[in-house]
């Protein structure tokens, strides 16, 4: 038996991150006195170099390796670079916060690095096995990060809920994958796609199609859990609220990009011929997410819970983009629909990073700025960061001319092009309802007297990066075409559209 050495070049970024994780693990064990700084610096350096490796090896070609279990293409490269920069930003924002609360240990940074590796594997997975490995690597790292503040009963409870519900979702995903394997005899996404096509054309494929559809239901359920959409949203408010804000920042940003990549690989790359089935499921979940997310957010006085529920509604918008690509078997709208969904996911991550960054900025040792009343009179304490928070809230509400407005607009255009006008009108109505709780935050910042009069202290790098992050929301709103074109180019050169 001859063993063929696989081509490791397409997975060079992931191998680098994995190797550096082990190096950092060993170095921080021996460097006890400077382990915290060393762990932080090496983690940031690893993420930046990983992004550079991805950028410089990006050639627009589709390459597979490890027996076609792994794929390297432009779509994966773009998402991986965005994930790296999102995690770098989250670690910079959260460094002082974690230090004040005593959990800025090397394991905090290592878990962030392992979760990034999991996201990268999910993004380039071309096989059920690699999808599951990436998903579990991400999930296990996040469970541990939520519980890092061991003295906090709230964090421990949130980690337990996250772990139990996450294990349930993993079970659903595995059950669905096993049923699809039973119906198609394949675990690779390309093989599954071909098998579904053959069975759709065959007259005797009725029984297998039934098993396939049942398997698809479980796979979509597992996928919906990662997005945090209704009815698999139960973990989102509790975990966002219970986790330390620096960890909430990470959970609410980069993993959404990985979940989007996983959805594209699974649903478009592997099961596009079952689109009529999964589109219906996505539609039900999107409508439910828009209703529950926006209405429940109005009732929240805690900002982290409000952002959690608003995140549920935002993921409903991403689902609207994914479900509007195929109309009655016609795939002409795929590119515009999926690129609009990708654009929305990227815009949401940028806004999410900024919103939780502001909460971290306002927090200090012994004080968590997480209630809406904590933002009262922010304009009198810092007119600059009040303006930055106003930009975030306006963008999330979809008010022109910020990136959130164009993200919503692109989704609505896709729905109208797919002749789903009623769904577009419904989404607009839900957005109008959602604008209430975003504008309430702006109102307390500018029209209420401050409750907290303590000056805002933070590291200069956090202030600069947070300002750049917020201004990027405005700049991307004025110049959205470049980002939209990048999303379209990534999808055109990577997927069989």
């Amino acid at each position: 038996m001859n063993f063929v050495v696989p081509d490791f070049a397409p997975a060079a970024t992931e191998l680098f991150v994995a190797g550096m994780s082990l190096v950092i693990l060993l170095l921080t064990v021996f460097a006890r006195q400077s382990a915290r700084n060393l762990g932080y610096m090496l983690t940031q350096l690893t993420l930046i170099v990983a992004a550079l490796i991805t950028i410089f090896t990006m050639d627009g070609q589709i390459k597979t390796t490890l027996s076609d279990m792994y794929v390297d293409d432009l779509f994966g490269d773009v998402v991986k670079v965005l994930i790296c920069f999102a995690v770098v930003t989250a670690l910079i924002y959260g460094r002082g916060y974690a230090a004040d609360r005593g959990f800025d240990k090397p394991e905090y940074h290592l878990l962030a690095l392992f979760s990034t590796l999991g996201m990268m594997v999910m993004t380039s997975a071309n096989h059920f096995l690699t999808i599951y490995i990436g998903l579990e690597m991400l999930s296990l790292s996040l469970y541990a990060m939520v519980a890092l503040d061991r003295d906090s009963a709230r964090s421990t409870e949130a980690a337990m809920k996250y772990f139990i519900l996450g294990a349930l979702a993993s079970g659903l995903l595995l059950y669905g994958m096993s049923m699809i394997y039973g119906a198609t005899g394949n675990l690779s996404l390309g093989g599954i796609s071909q098998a579904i096509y053959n069975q759709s054309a065959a007259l005797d494929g009725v029984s297998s199609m039934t098993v396939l559809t049942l398997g698809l239901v479980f796979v979509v359920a597992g996928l919906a859990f990662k997005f945090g959409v209704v009815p698999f949203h139960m973990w989102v408010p509790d975990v966002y609220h219970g986790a330390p804000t620096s960890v909430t920042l990470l959970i609410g940003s980069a993993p959404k990009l990985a979940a989007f990549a996983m959805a594209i690989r699974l649903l478009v790359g592997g099961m596009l011929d079952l689109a009529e089935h999964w589109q219906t499921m996505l539609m039900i979940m999107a409508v439910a997410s828009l209703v529950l997310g926006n209405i429940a957010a109005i009732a929240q006085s805690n900002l982290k819970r409000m952002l959690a529920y608003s995140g549920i509604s935002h993921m409903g918008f991403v689902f609207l983009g994914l479900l509007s690509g195929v109309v009655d078997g016609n795939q002409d709208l795929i590119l515009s629909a999926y690129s609009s969904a990708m654009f929305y996911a990227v815009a949401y991550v940028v806004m999410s990073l900024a919103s939780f960054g502001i909460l971290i900025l306002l927090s200090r040792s012994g004080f968590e700025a997480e209630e809406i009343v904590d933002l009262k009179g922010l304009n009198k304490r810092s007119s600059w960061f009040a303006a930055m928070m106003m930009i975030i809230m306006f963008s999330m509400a979809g008010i022109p001319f910020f990136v959130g407005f164009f993200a919503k607009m692109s989704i609505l255009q896709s729905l109208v092009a797919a002749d789903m006008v009623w769904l577009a009108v419904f989404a607009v109505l839900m957005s109008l309802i959602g604008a209430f709780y975003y504008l309430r935050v702006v109102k307390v910042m500018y029209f209420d007297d401050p409750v907290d009069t303590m000056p805002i202290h933070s590291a200069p790098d956090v202030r600069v990066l947070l300002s750049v992050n917020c201004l990027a929301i405005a700049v991307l709103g004025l110049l959205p075409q470049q980002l939209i074109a990048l999303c379209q180019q990534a999808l055109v050169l990577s997927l069989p559209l």
Side-chain angles (χ1 to χ4, degrees), residues 85-147:
F85 281 110
V87 177
V88 166
T89 305
L91 290 180
I92 291 174
Y93 287 165
R95 190 185 185 194
Y97 179 94
D100 288 343
R101 287 145 188 84
F103 61 87
D104 63 330
K105 298 171 184 173
E107 51 263 37
Y108 171 68
H109 304 112
L110 272 170
L111 286 169
L113 206 53
F114 281 127
S115 69
T116 307
L117 181 60
M119 288 185 262
M120 288 179 167
V121 173
M122 284 169 66
T123 301
S124 280
N126 196 37
H127 193 278
F128 276 171
L129 185 59
T130 40
I131 288 175
Y132 188 71
I133 289 172
L135 182 63
E136 287 304 297
M137 195 180 294
L138 167 66
S139 300
L140 291 173
S141 302
L142 294 182
Y143 301 151
M145 290 186 80
V146 172

Side-chain angles (χ1 to χ4, degrees), residues 310-330:
S310 81
I312 292 170
S313 69
H314 283 294
M315 291 305 104
F317 258 97
V318 173
F319 271 26
L320 290 179
L322 287 173
L323 65 87
S324 57
V326 181
V327 183
D328 298 329
N330 188 340

